[in-house]
Amino acid sequence: MLAVQQLEAGYGESVILRDVSLKVEKGQVVCLLGRNGVGKTTLMRSIMGLLKARRGIVSYEKDNLTKAAPGVRAKRGIGYVPQGREIFPQLTVYENVLLGLEASREKTREIPASAIEKFPVLPTMYERRGGDLSGGQQQQLAFARALASKPEVLLLDEPCEGIQPSIVEDIRDVIRSIKAEGTTAILLVEQSLEFVQSVGDYFYILEKGAIAWEGGLEALSDEVIRTYLTV
Ligand SMILES: Nc1ncnc2c1ncn2[C@@H]1O[C@H](COP(=O)(O)OP(=O)(O)OP(=O)(O)O)[C@@H](O)[C@H]1O
Ligand SMILES: [Mg+2]
């Protein structure tokens, strides 16, 4: 289980996360919701270690990772598909996927079938430059890169943002199939309520630097949505 306890984080003088606590268990898709700019990406980056926590704890299973570098967290099994995908445009598709292997606990140079089988189009584009792919293809590449290290926790930051509908459906299927395997914990940030309601088991809503609401699918009522999510 991934656990965040009383996390505080920010940039310079500004405190973005004041007091955030949440949990994600294997086989679950936990969704993190909140209006634009509330700090969802900041939380993802703090869990990954790309931003230092000023207070609080990030742990996975029995390991306290609060002070661990991003590479250590990745090796411990945390995979990240960042908002905006962050593909290396000059590297080939194959090289981009290979980069994901850096975080693997196994000393292999071989991309595992589990990373690629969900995106059959990728191997047909291995020699192309990452920057030449469409947005949807880059998103699939970012997913494959994260899956290459066989993560136990997957952080997905707006995987459907700016993606054509057919690839959104592919991503929905991928998330469902990872969930069905039951061995990975998924923390998902996504703007589309329809999407999160179709895959999510549990929901946290971030507001003013803290979790303002949490609950299961049936509790995520229109009123909750109006109160915390409508602009
Ligand atoms: N590198 C940075 N330096 C300074 N401030 C930042 C930085 N990154 C983000 N912020 C600020 O932190 C706040 C939270 O940003 P963050 O990107 O975490 O929000 P978000 O919930 O992911 O938003 P969105 O829904 O637009 O993706 C915003 O006010 C943003 O301007
Ligand atoms: Mg964001």
Side-chain angles (χ1 to χ4, degrees), residues 41 83 157-158:
T41 298
Q83 185 169 15
D157 197 349
E158 303 214 20

Side-chain angles (χ1 to χ4, degrees), residues 31-219:
C31 302
L32 175 67
L33 312 177
R35 295 190 178 98
N36 283 117
V38 290
K40 303 179 296 295
T41 298
T42 301
L43 179 56
M44 295 298 223
R45 290 172 51 80
S46 303
I47 294 172
M48 203 58 223
L50 297 164
L51 184 67
K52 278 206 177 85
R54 292 176 180 172
R55 210 168 54 86
I57 299 170
V58 174
S59 61
Y60 177 58
E61 310 263 293
K62 290 189 172 60
D63 299 330
N64 184 335
L65 299 176
T66 314
K67 297 221 158 31
V72 172
R73 299 186 200 208
K75 276 218 158 62
R76 186 61 192 85
I78 305 182
Y80 183 36
V81 180
Q83 185 169 15
R85 311 181 265 277
E86 299 183 17
I87 291 304
F88 291 88
Q90 305 294 342
L91 299 184
T92 65
V93 169
Y94 182 72
E95 288 164 340
N96 269 282
V97 182
L98 267 190
L99 281 176
L101 272 185
E102 299 287 324
S104 183
R105 282 138 288 172
E106 299 158 19
K107 280 209 173 64
T108 174
R109 293 303 292 162
E110 211 153 306
I111 296 164
S114 58
I116 288 301
E117 66 197 2
K118 296 179 172 77
F119 310 101
V121 70
L122 284 182
T124 70
M125 303 188 297
Y126 267 168
E127 301 310 317
R128 289 171 62 184
R129 282 172 1 132
D132 293 340
L133 269 49
S134 72
Q137 291 165 340
Q138 287 188 3
Q139 190 60 267
Q140 297 182 70
L141 174 54
F143 249 92
R145 180 179 63 187
L147 292 175
S149 61
K150 301 185 183 169
E152 296 172 19
V153 178
L154 199 49
L155 308 177
L156 305 175
D157 197 349
E158 303 214 20
C160 302
E161 190 179 32
I163 300 294
Q164 70 192 70
S166 68
I167 295 185
V168 170
E169 289 319 307
D170 290 347
I171 288 172
R172 197 195 307 266
D173 291 344
V174 168
I175 291 173
R176 283 184 172 147
S177 84
I178 294 170
K179 172 170 155 174
E181 287 159 16
T183 52
T184 308
I186 296 181
L187 180 60
L188 170 68
V189 171
E190 186 50 62
Q191 294 287 345
S192 161
L193 273 172
E194 180 274 326
F195 190 91
V196 294
Q197 286 173 322
S198 74
V199 297
D201 298 297
Y202 200 78
F203 302 83
Y204 290 95
I205 301 180
L206 192 58
E207 192 176 74
K208 296 189 183 128
I211 300 299
W213 185 90
E214 63 176 278
L217 182 60
E218 60 307 322

Side-chain angles (χ1 to χ4, degrees), residues 23-34:
K23 286 183 220 167
V24 193
E25 295 189 46
K26 282 186 182 164
Q28 264 192 340
V29 177
V30 170
C31 302
L32 175 67
L33 312 177

